[in-house]
Amino acid sequence: MITGLAAKFGGKVLLVYGQNQSPSNSESAIAWHDNLGTLGVNTHWVGVTVHPGSNALFSVGDYRPIAKNARK
């Protein structure tokens, strides 16, 4: 069902879920199938950055909270 809905959407869809299947137990990369990406993460925080207009729309890294005084 999600695949069908994503196919009708003109942009990219990223699903993040809490069951990382990576054998090394490290963060896995985003797996893409057409415009639907999936990212399995462990139980700790992970940072996902969105890069509008870029070919690599999403990137995965360590979670770093934004300082309250840095927000505009």
Side-chain angles (χ1 to χ4, degrees), residues 14-48:
L14 178 61
L15 298 177
V16 181
Y17 58 94
Q19 295 179 353
N20 184 4
Q21 300 297 321
S22 175
S24 66
N25 213 21
S26 63
E27 296 305 329
S28 60
I30 299 171
W32 288 100
H33 180 73
D34 297 324
N35 69 328
L36 178 62
T38 58
L39 173 63
V41 296
N42 294 320
T43 57
H44 63 278
W45 288 88
V46 64
V48 176

Side-chain angles (χ1 to χ4, degrees), residues 1-15 33-37:
M1 184 172 167
I2 292 174
T3 305
L5 292 171
K8 296 177 185 178
F9 182 65
K12 292 188 176 185
V13 177
L14 178 61
L15 298 177
H33 180 73
D34 297 324
N35 69 328
L36 178 62

